[in-house]
Amino acid sequence: MNGGLLVAGTTSDAGKSVVTAGICRWLVRQGVKVAPFKAQNMSLNSFVTREGAEIGRAQAMQAQACRVEPTALMNPVLLKPGGEQSSQVVLLGRPVGELSARGYHGGRQQRLLGTVLDCLAELRGTYDAVICEGAGSPAEINLRRTDIVNMGIARNARLPVLVVGDIDRGGVFASFFGTVALLSPEDQELVAGFLVNKFRGDVSLLEPGLDMLHGLTGRRAYGVLPFRHGLGIDEEDGLRVSLRGAVRESVVAPPLGEDVLRVAVCAVPLMSNFTDVDALAAEPGVVVRFVDRAEELADADLVVVPGTRGTVRALEWLRERGLADALARRAAEGRPVLGVCGGFQLLGEHIEDEVESRRGHVDGLGLLPVRVRFAREKTLARPVGEALGERVEGYEIHHGVAEVTGGEPFLDGCRVGGVWGTHWHGSLESDAFRRAFLREVAAAAGRRFVPAPGTSFAALREEQLDKLGDLIEQHADTDALWRLIESGAPQGLPFIPPGAPA
């Protein structure tokens, strides 16, 4: 078998990442050697591979669904927004520059097509199947000329395309039809059919619409996936919940002790790697919420200041909203605060930034004895160490170089009283360390909270991935999917006018 498939979507957040991971997990359970691929990803939620390359966390999660080690080949182009108009371009795991949207789509993107196709070809030469994920919608007619992630790559690699639509939003039939009808005849030849995502209710009520859609487009539905709460996979473009919503949709298990622990995460601008707090939310009795108001810190037992692509901007935002003063009061009272990466940097004494914001010298919050200087070279690493008497693994993605001048050592950062700071993302996924940290937080907060001794974040993640595989196995036509992956799009699919404009 040497197959492939492109999972496209009618919109962003239609469920492409979930479906791609689900297909990957279903295939690997059938004994297929499979890999994920996303040619171009726009995300602030990234990961560092073992060879020190930065890729989207969604592709790292999909690699885990495939039970393989993630590599830069699986996400050759990563765009990390730095504001409304520009993004850092990460090519094959390394930053190569900052470009405006106009500059990128005006020519740079198309020049990356050869690199993208080479990466896909290398994966296809190594694995039995490669399941590719598109971005946004394949019917972005204003961007089709330079597209390297949707129909641009499908055409060049002759990949069949499955279009996913989120029926929970409404309008899914119009979205399916319109997506096909806005593609050129050559692109339409590769669109094999549709997959309905997030359906609630009796599927039999949907079937007449699917039959009519088949009659109108000549393309079938490959399945109807039911709505499921709490899948908890790594997102790429934004929070999986609205601001001030709970991190996990699933029911949180009751605490082992008499109290719960309340965690407030400051929803700073350009927040990166917000999935760092997922491991906290997985603990029975820990309630995690994203907040943007100072009064919401009052009853929190732990406040997390997460990573950000705009450290100085986040610092200003905290001051504007009164959150900086609230954090200072917490520190003075010995109440727990954890800063991660950019959140760690802004807790320090001052920042010298001629790289990210180009603002030069900026005073930090002064809660930790740390001075930060932004370097042009980005630090990408997978450190292993020890803290609170337990082994810790993490990953680093930052331009800021921290000089720690005091406090107690804490991973690569420090601790002063109830304030901790580190550049290490993912450290809380180390189970024994997380439990030791939560015991410290509970003691400082005066809570009778007891960490659950058997919680394994890695096992919970595997359970989530198996649930995605189950969705595909139980609610998609897997025989038809297999043929599609192995043999490509059916021949003779009809053209649906008007097609893409010239």
Side-chain angles (χ1 to χ4, degrees):
M1 182 179 187
N2 183 16
L5 174 69
L6 176 69
V7 178
T10 55
T11 61
S12 293
D13 205 31
K16 298 182 292 291
S17 296
V18 168
V19 169
T20 300
I23 292 173
C24 287
R25 179 48 61 103
W26 161 64
L27 283 172
V28 82
R29 294 196 306 208
Q30 311 308 308
V32 177
K33 188 180 178 184
V34 59
F37 180 78
K38 185 161 185 172
Q40 173 194 290
N41 197 346
M42 177 172 279
S43 178
L44 288 173
N45 201 20
S46 58
F47 181 75
V48 179
T49 67
R50 294 212 177 275
E51 71 266 30
E54 185 180 9
I55 66 171
R57 266 198 77 101
Q59 280 60 66
M61 174 272 297
Q62 290 162 357
Q64 187 172 350
C66 297
R67 297 182 180 139
V68 298
E69 191 67 34
T71 73
L73 293 174
M74 297 171 183
N75 179 207
V77 181
L78 174 63
L79 305 179
K80 302 194 72 173
E84 296 297 325
Q85 299 295 329
S86 67
S87 293
Q88 184 181 68
V89 181
V90 179
L91 179 62
L92 293 174
R94 295 288 173 180
V96 293
E98 197 91 13
L99 281 178
S100 67
R102 181 182 294 274
Y104 183 68
H105 291 287
R108 178 63 183 268
Q109 183 182 33
Q110 184 65 22
R111 292 198 294 273
L112 296 174
L113 179 61
T115 300
V116 162
L117 290 172
D118 287 346
C119 291
L120 177 57
E122 187 169 343
L123 288 174
R124 295 187 80 177
T126 306
Y127 293 88
D128 300 328
V130 178
I131 308 302
C132 307
E133 180 186 345
S137 162
E140 308 287 0
I141 54 178
N142 56 315
L143 302 177
R144 176 61 184 90
R145 182 178 61 84
T146 57
D147 171 51
I148 65 169
V149 64
N150 290 306
M151 300 312 300
I153 195 166
R155 281 267 292 277
N156 277 279
R158 302 308 299 170
L159 293 170
V161 179
L162 183 67
V163 180
V164 178
D166 180 356
I167 197 170
D168 199 49
R169 297 182 176 196
V172 74
F173 292 114
S175 298
F176 281 145
F177 184 88
T179 296
V180 179
L182 279 176
L183 299 178
S184 69
E186 295 82 2
D187 286 349
Q188 287 193 26
E189 288 176 2
L190 296 171
V191 179
F194 314 106
L195 189 72
V196 178
N197 191 30
K198 296 186 182 178
F199 181 71
R200 306 172 191 249
D202 186 346
V203 176
S204 67
L205 299 176
L206 193 65
E207 288 171 352
L210 296 176
D211 291 340
M212 284 187 274
L213 184 68
H214 188 194
L216 287 165
T217 67
R219 291 157 175 86
R220 54 164 298 176
Y222 282 75
V224 177
L225 306 185
F227 188 97
R228 288 286 185 265
H229 282 286
L231 288 175
I233 65 152
D234 295 348
E235 302 282 344
E236 56 181 41
D237 294 326
L239 299 179
R240 74 174 64 101
V241 292
S242 61
L243 190 61
R244 292 190 293 278
V247 171
R248 291 167 63 87
E249 295 174 310
S250 55
V251 177
V252 177
L256 264 66
E258 297 179 40
D259 292 338
V260 298
L261 275 185
R262 295 174 176 84
V263 179
V265 185
C266 297
V268 296
L270 296 174
M271 190 188 326
S272 63
N273 293 78
F274 52 84
T275 46
D276 281 339
V277 299
D278 280 2
L280 293 177
E283 283 285 347
V286 176
V287 180
V288 181
R289 298 178 70 84
F290 288 90
V291 303
D292 66 344
R293 297 190 299 232
E295 57 268 29
E296 293 176 298
L297 304 189
D299 66 346
D301 302 307
L302 169 67
V303 174
V304 178
V305 187
T308 171
R309 173 89 161 86
T311 301
V312 171
R313 180 176 168 187
L315 183 57
E316 293 172 342
W317 181 87
L318 290 169
R319 287 179 168 137
E320 289 166 2
R321 291 177 170 262
L323 287 158
D325 290 338
L327 289 169
R329 288 193 296 271
R330 288 186 67 91
E333 295 165 1
R335 302 176 65 199
V337 175
L338 172 64
V340 180
C341 200
F344 163 45
Q345 294 167 5
L346 61 81
L347 293 178
E349 296 167 349
H350 68 253
I351 297 167
E352 291 288 341
D353 182 11
E354 299 292 351
V355 176
E356 193 174 77
S357 69
R358 298 181 175 87
R359 294 283 296 277
H361 181 95
V362 178
D363 289 333
L365 297 186
L367 305 185
L368 290 174
V370 175
R371 300 167 185 167
V372 176
R373 176 185 55 81
F374 273 70
R376 297 199 176 277
E377 187 73 19
K378 182 185 281 191
T379 297
L380 297 169
R382 288 279 294 270
V384 177
E386 184 177 300
L388 304 179
E390 303 292 349
R391 186 177 187 273
V392 188
E393 294 184 34
Y395 58 100
E396 295 183 63
I397 306 169
H398 54 92
H399 283 279
V401 179
E403 178 190 358
V404 179
T405 60
E408 301 175 44
F410 177 68
L411 301 177
D412 71 325
C414 65
R415 172 190 182 179
V416 174
V419 182
W420 288 266
T422 177
H423 277 125
W424 291 22
H425 295 291
S427 62
L428 293 167
E429 295 178 18
S430 298
D431 297 325
F433 165 72
R434 181 180 64 253
R435 287 191 280 270
F437 177 71
L438 289 175
R439 282 192 289 269
E440 293 258 351
V441 169
R447 297 288 186 188
R448 289 170 293 185
F449 169 85
V450 179
T455 303
S456 166
F457 187 73
L460 289 171
R461 187 181 290 274
E462 276 297 303
E463 287 178 18
Q464 301 291 356
L465 293 172
D466 277 332
K467 288 177 183 177
L468 298 182
D470 292 343
L471 276 178
I472 297 299
E473 193 166 331
Q474 296 168 11
H475 300 284
D477 185 340
T478 52
D479 289 340
L481 267 181
W482 188 280
R483 290 193 297 272
L484 192 61
I485 293 166
E486 194 170 34
S487 304
Q491 298 296 307
L493 292 170
F495 170 69
I496 308 302

